[in-house]
Amino acid sequence: MDDGGQSTVVPFDGDERDQDGLDMDNPARRLQVAEAARMAEAVIFASAEPVSEKALADRLPEDADIPAALEELKTIYDKRGVNLIRVGDAWAFRTAGDLSFLMSRDAVVQKKLSRAALEVLATIAYHQPVTRAEIEDVRGVETSKGTLDILLETDWVRMRGRRRSPGRPVTYGTTLAFLDHFGLSELRDLPGMDELKGAGLLSTRMPTNFSVPLPLDDPDELTEDEDPLTDIDLEELGLLTPGGAND
Amino acid sequence: MDDGGQSTVVPFDGDERDQDGLDMDNPARRLQVAEAARMAEAVIFASAEPVSEKALADRLPEDADIPAALEELKTIYDKRGVNLIRVGDAWAFRTAGDLSFLMSRDAVVQKKLSRAALEVLATIAYHQPVTRAEIEDVRGVETSKGTLDILLETDWVRMRGRRRSPGRPVTYGTTLAFLDHFGLSELRDLPGMDELKGAGLLSTRMPTNFSVPLPLDDPDELTEDEDPLTDIDLEELGLLTPGGAND
Amino acid sequence: MDPLWTEAGPVTDANRDALVVDVDGFEGPLDLLLHLARTQKVDLARISVLALTEQYLSFIDRVRALKLEVAADYLVVAAWLAYLKSKLLIPQKPGEDEQTGEEMAAILQFRLQRLEAMRDAGTRLVNRNRLGRDVFARGMPETVIVDRRSKFDASLYDLLTAYASERQRNAVTTVEISERHVWSLKEARDRLITLIGELSDWTALDSFLVDYLVLPEKRATALASSFAASLELVREGAVELSQSKPFATLYLRSVTTKSRATDNSGETTHG
């Protein structure tokens, strides 16, 4: 609101302005200020940092009355959900103080999955039910427990059961949340080999014995060589506290 | 603004609204809408990405009339330097298009799409959901590597699902980011969409009456080979929220 | 169509690379045809298809006369156009169960118009006010608004590229590149179906294909292999063949078209 400091950057119209600062009775002038305000609004909005009046002057048409435009903008935004505020000698938009509670809910930072986690996730999706050893076969590298833990945490991957084979290894599969997140209506929507090639994601020059498995028809049903997980299994896997009392 | 699709995300206020949608004569209600508008404004303004109506509903008080608030906001910002834009079922503030001359300084250098990629993008946008074979049918050439995958990478194009036909080929469509980038509220806003559809140029097969290339007398009248739009078509055109009931 | 392709995947690929002589930077034969059609300087709906056919064939002849190798795509279309020309010039015998020249010409016009429409649409699209070029988002976002479905972020594209590169990395990549200068007729026909659309009606193409794809001295063997390839396509259920008497012209039509048509009408019948 401090008008005094701004008059220096407005070269010509000082004498046109009355005591209140703006000669708003003149419709032409009013329109001019409104247009300058629109421009300042767009520039400040799009800028990655607060915009100084000098920067605005550089950008707006020469005859733009920048102090008047900023004054008008400030008034417009005063009671709105977003305010125009002064930061040093520059201007920026900020959420109105009384609404900051709306922002705090978004404080959860979205995490990006690591490349390794993405690979394991994709391997599980295509090859399920799949054991950790089998994931390793496909990937050619060992999968750390941490990676699997993160995937379980995403809620996109679940333990399905145990394979009826020596050691009864745990089998992994995907969840409904997985389909939901990736916008698939069923697992079979995952593109097959030809389609990966067609989309340019997979080289067309793969060896003849190369194949991409057909994802399961019904991921909820256990396959013939899978046993369901029992409570004892869950305890062993640390998913259930012995006694089951705690969560 | 099409209210029909939006009602699904606003659970409680259906019965509060009269025929005209807003009972603005009631000062208390007016205040309530103004306050909801402030909150929606703050949330949408704070984000660089479009904010879905669902995300707004998550954040605003339960009794907030979000469609009314958005309607009010849209009107407030209509002539300003920053506009409220609908992108699919999400909303974003964007600088006004007529001020682009001012903004060029902020422009980030964008990778220029190759002619082939642009053709594929247009084919997908206007024909979606479309299979790769159909894209190739339109262009008369195979889609080379580095075309579809580039479009997938820019996040303008996505795999939508599979066609219910022999071989169940994967279908492609555009994303919300596509609408946002090209300033479209919905697919029906694609330039020339109605004329192209009317001329039968958006079908995969030649329409039976194609050999008579006379302009239609009445573009609103269905041609012989056109069926009236079904709900599924409308969903595809983004006119109806998938699964959403019309009110 | 796709399974046929992948079967011969690597070989075809290598071949394609070897054969691609981009005919003056055209993006495929349809692009070339569109370019030639524009030189007629009339609305695409009113071009003379016969003249266009002549233009295209003489263009191909000129390129070949220069002893330049022409990509097979272009030759396949040349074969189709030569066939179309013959049908346009020789009046249809009544009652013949095949596409008339006029119908074929209409298909060509439709495809040219559709391609042009998509090109114009693409141009109009990129010339719109674009985010990050003409219009801008908030430069100083205060928060990221996400639908609180997951605190993890990954797209289907991320997932698929991760999977593809993982599988690619671990696949033993031995690629055999065999040298062939002529496309098999089967490949040619596959491309033809891609380029010209589905051959829904009985179409005699073999002799034209052979004319354009094969050097004169090799025509006899090419015809023989063409016939063999056709039989294989029949066995695979991709096409149907018909011949009225010994040594008469061989007609073929696509089977997929018919089954797809059935499918569109509601029920899927597997045959």
Side-chain angles (χ1 to χ4, degrees):
Chain A
M1 280 301 212
D2 57 343
D3 239 32
Q6 291 167 22
S7 58
T8 50
V9 275
V10 184
F12 298 117
D13 57 356
D15 42 358
E16 279 176 39
R17 296 162 72 187
D18 59 19
Q19 271 311 64
D20 294 314
L22 300 173
D23 177 21
M24 280 311 204
D25 294 336
N26 179 343
R29 163 133 179 85
R30 198 164 178 151
L31 208 67
Q32 207 183 25
V33 169
E35 194 50 28
R38 280 188 82 223
M39 295 184 203
E41 183 180 26
V43 169
I44 298 170
F45 172 85
S47 168
E49 51 197 39
V51 182
S52 68
E53 290 180 26
K54 186 181 171 306
L56 280 175
D58 281 351
R59 224 148 140 173
L60 267 54
E62 263 185 29
D63 59 352
D65 182 345
I66 290 166
L70 286 168
E71 189 61 38
E72 173 153 328
L73 263 191
K74 194 170 179 322
T75 312
I76 288 174
Y77 276 97
D78 239 11
K79 300 258 173 276
R80 308 243 26 113
V82 172
N83 305 143
L84 182 67
I85 57 151
R86 207 188 164 113
V87 189
D89 70 338
W91 295 82
F93 286 112
R94 284 279 186 278
T95 306
D98 65 316
L99 295 180
S100 57
F101 73 95
L102 286 171
M103 305 295 132
S104 56
R105 294 182 76 157
D106 300 305
V108 235
V109 181
Q110 259 203 334
K111 284 187 235 167
K112 259 211 146 12
L113 278 189
S114 71
R115 184 77 185 181
L118 272 175
E119 284 186 17
V120 175
L121 175 62
T123 309
I124 292 172
Y126 273 96
H127 298 256
Q128 64 187 298
V130 65
T131 67
R132 196 162 149 194
E134 288 160 356
I135 296 172
E136 217 169 294
D137 280 348
V138 175
R139 297 188 59 220
V141 283
E142 205 177 316
T143 302
S144 74
K145 186 168 179 309
T147 305
L148 275 171
D149 284 346
I150 284 182
L151 288 177
L152 289 168
E153 198 198 322
T154 59
D155 197 28
W156 295 335
V157 162
R158 68 191 172 100
M159 298 184 182
R160 291 172 47 101
R162 309 197 91 146
R163 176 71 42 80
R164 278 186 212 139
S165 69
R168 300 184 65 241
V170 170
T171 53
Y172 293 89
T174 53
T175 61
L176 216 59
F178 168 85
L179 294 179
D180 189 39
H181 178 91
F182 291 99
L184 304 163
S185 57
E186 53 179 333
L187 274 181
R188 292 188 304 163
D189 279 359
L190 285 170
M193 180 176 71
D194 293 340
E195 288 144 348
L196 287 172
K197 285 180 177 172
L201 301 178
L202 192 66
S203 161
T204 46
R205 302 176 184 206
M206 296 302 284
T208 43
N209 62 355
F210 180 88
S211 72
V212 167
L214 283 177
L216 289 179
D217 270 357
D218 181 2
D220 292 333
E221 213 163 276
L222 291 179
T223 55
E224 274 175 22
D225 62 348
E226 275 180 302
D227 283 328
L229 288 172
T230 64
D231 279 0
I232 295 170
D233 292 329
L234 293 172
E235 273 181 30
E236 276 172 24
L237 296 165
L239 295 176
L240 203 67
T241 320
N246 294 326
D247 56 358
Chain B
M1 203 172 70
D2 59 341
D3 245 28
Q6 293 167 18
S7 60
T8 51
V9 276
V10 185
F12 298 114
D13 58 355
D15 43 359
E16 280 175 39
R17 295 164 69 189
D18 60 19
Q19 269 314 62
D20 297 312
L22 301 174
D23 177 20
M24 281 308 203
D25 292 337
N26 180 344
R29 163 134 181 85
R30 199 161 176 156
L31 206 68
Q32 206 182 24
V33 168
E35 194 48 28
R38 271 190 89 223
M39 292 190 233
E41 180 182 29
V43 173
I44 301 170
F45 214 97
S47 167
E49 304 290 320
V51 177
S52 72
E53 292 185 18
K54 183 183 167 304
L56 281 175
D58 279 352
R59 274 161 194 81
L60 268 54
E62 266 191 19
D63 60 352
D65 185 344
I66 291 171
L70 289 168
E71 186 63 41
E72 175 158 327
L73 268 187
K74 196 173 179 313
T75 313
I76 289 174
Y77 278 94
D78 234 17
K79 302 258 175 276
R80 301 267 295 275
V82 171
N83 304 143
L84 182 66
I85 305 288
R86 182 169 71 82
V87 187
D89 69 342
W91 296 79
F93 282 108
R94 300 287 180 245
T95 58
D98 67 316
L99 296 179
S100 66
F101 70 96
L102 259 188
M103 313 301 297
S104 56
R105 227 190 271 185
D106 292 328
V108 278
V109 182
Q110 294 180 346
K111 231 192 286 177
K112 204 169 165 348
L113 279 188
S114 70
R115 204 176 81 169
L118 188 56
E119 235 171 78
V120 171
L121 178 63
T123 307
I124 291 174
Y126 285 78
H127 286 81
Q128 63 187 305
V130 64
T131 67
R132 187 167 58 92
E134 287 160 358
I135 297 168
E136 291 178 354
D137 187 60
V138 169
R139 302 187 55 234
V141 275
E142 278 174 50
T143 313
S144 62
K145 191 170 158 51
T147 308
L148 261 175
D149 49 336
I150 290 266
L151 293 173
L152 286 165
E153 198 187 346
T154 55
D155 193 27
W156 289 343
V157 158
R158 68 190 170 100
M159 293 182 177
R160 287 175 51 126
R162 288 180 184 273
R163 171 76 43 84
R164 281 190 212 108
S165 70
R168 302 185 72 245
V170 164
T171 55
Y172 291 89
T174 52
T175 61
L176 205 68
F178 167 84
L179 293 179
D180 195 18
H181 184 88
F182 292 102
L184 303 160
S185 283
E186 53 197 7
L187 289 176
R188 204 175 51 166
D189 293 348
L190 281 168
M193 186 66 161
D194 290 343
E195 300 101 89
L196 289 176
K197 221 181 165 77
L201 289 171
L202 297 186
S203 57
T204 40
R205 326 203 51 151
M206 186 177 72
T208 43
N209 66 339
F210 182 75
S211 46
V212 194
L214 293 172
L216 291 173
D217 288 339
D218 179 2
D220 292 333
E221 204 166 288
L222 294 179
T223 53
E224 269 171 35
D225 65 326
E226 273 182 307
D227 285 327
L229 285 178
T230 63
D231 276 1
I232 290 172
D233 294 328
L234 292 172
E235 271 182 27
E236 283 168 7
L237 293 169
L239 299 177
L240 203 67
T241 318
N246 250 325
D247 56 359
Chain C
M1 188 160 68
D2 270 346
L4 291 176
W5 265 105
T6 37
E7 197 181 307
V11 176
T12 336
D13 237 48
N15 234 309
R16 199 179 308 161
D17 292 347
L19 273 172
V20 169
V21 173
D22 212 3
V23 188
D24 274 326
F26 289 106
E27 207 157 313
L30 208 55
D31 186 23
L32 172 56
L33 273 168
L34 190 54
H35 173 82
L36 293 172
R38 285 212 188 99
T39 63
Q40 291 191 17
K41 297 201 193 325
V42 288
D43 185 347
L44 270 190
R46 287 171 182 74
I47 51 160
S48 155
V49 170
L50 195 58
L52 181 61
T53 302
E54 302 276 15
Q55 281 175 287
Y56 186 94
L57 293 178
S58 74
F59 181 92
I60 294 294
D61 287 343
R62 272 204 315 277
V63 176
R64 288 179 116 191
L66 294 170
K67 299 254 186 261
L68 290 175
E69 216 169 356
V70 183
D73 291 10
Y74 293 86
L75 300 180
V76 170
V77 170
W80 190 82
L81 289 173
Y83 175 62
L84 168 59
K85 185 174 137 187
S86 77
K87 298 209 57 150
L88 286 173
L89 293 177
I90 302 160
Q92 188 85 8
K93 274 181 243 152
E96 258 180 85
D97 181 24
E98 51 179 295
Q99 276 180 328
T100 64
E102 284 70 25
E103 284 163 349
M104 290 172 68
I107 288 177
L108 180 61
Q109 274 183 328
F110 169 69
R111 290 175 57 92
L112 289 172
Q113 283 187 43
R114 190 175 56 176
L115 178 63
E116 189 178 53
M118 284 304 103
R119 268 198 195 151
D120 293 348
T123 310
R124 289 169 74 178
L125 209 51
V126 285
N127 287 330
R128 287 180 65 84
N129 275 344
R130 288 165 64 182
L131 185 64
R133 189 188 71 179
D134 311 292
V135 301
F136 291 83
R138 179 89 187 269
M140 237 186 313
E142 292 172 63
T143 185
V144 179
I145 308 285
V146 287
D147 290 338
R148 288 171 302 146
R149 275 149 92 197
S150 168
K151 59 178 180 160
F152 290 92
D153 178 29
S155 70
L156 184 60
Y157 177 78
D158 296 336
L159 187 75
L160 297 178
T161 44
Y163 184 66
S165 70
E166 161 198 299
R167 295 299 310 278
Q168 224 157 278
R169 196 171 62 227
N170 294 308
V172 191
T173 39
T174 47
V175 182
E176 285 167 41
I177 297 169
S178 74
E179 296 256 331
R180 275 192 301 168
H181 294 291
V182 176
W183 283 50
S184 81
L185 268 290
K186 177 169 86 75
E187 286 162 336
R189 195 170 292 105
D190 280 355
R191 300 215 112 178
L192 182 63
I193 290 167
T194 305
L195 295 164
I196 294 302
E198 289 138 346
L199 305 170
S200 51
D201 288 303
W202 291 112
T203 311
L205 283 179
D206 292 52
S207 47
F208 292 96
L209 271 180
V210 169
D211 278 354
Y212 272 91
L213 282 177
V214 188
L215 296 171
E217 57 271 26
K218 289 194 178 157
R219 272 181 196 162
T221 58
L223 199 56
S225 69
S226 151
F227 180 61
S230 318
L231 290 181
E232 201 165 294
L233 281 171
V234 171
R235 187 177 58 80
E236 288 161 11
V239 298
E240 292 176 314
L241 277 178
S242 153
Q243 192 178 30
S244 54
K245 57 178 190 283
F247 306 109
T249 315
L250 216 51
Y251 289 91
L252 67 133
R253 75 174 169 191
S254 154
V255 171
T256 51
T257 317
K258 299 287 166 190
S259 56
R260 196 168 305 166
T262 321
D263 186 55
N264 283 344
S265 66
E267 275 307 297
T268 310
T269 41
H270 274 286

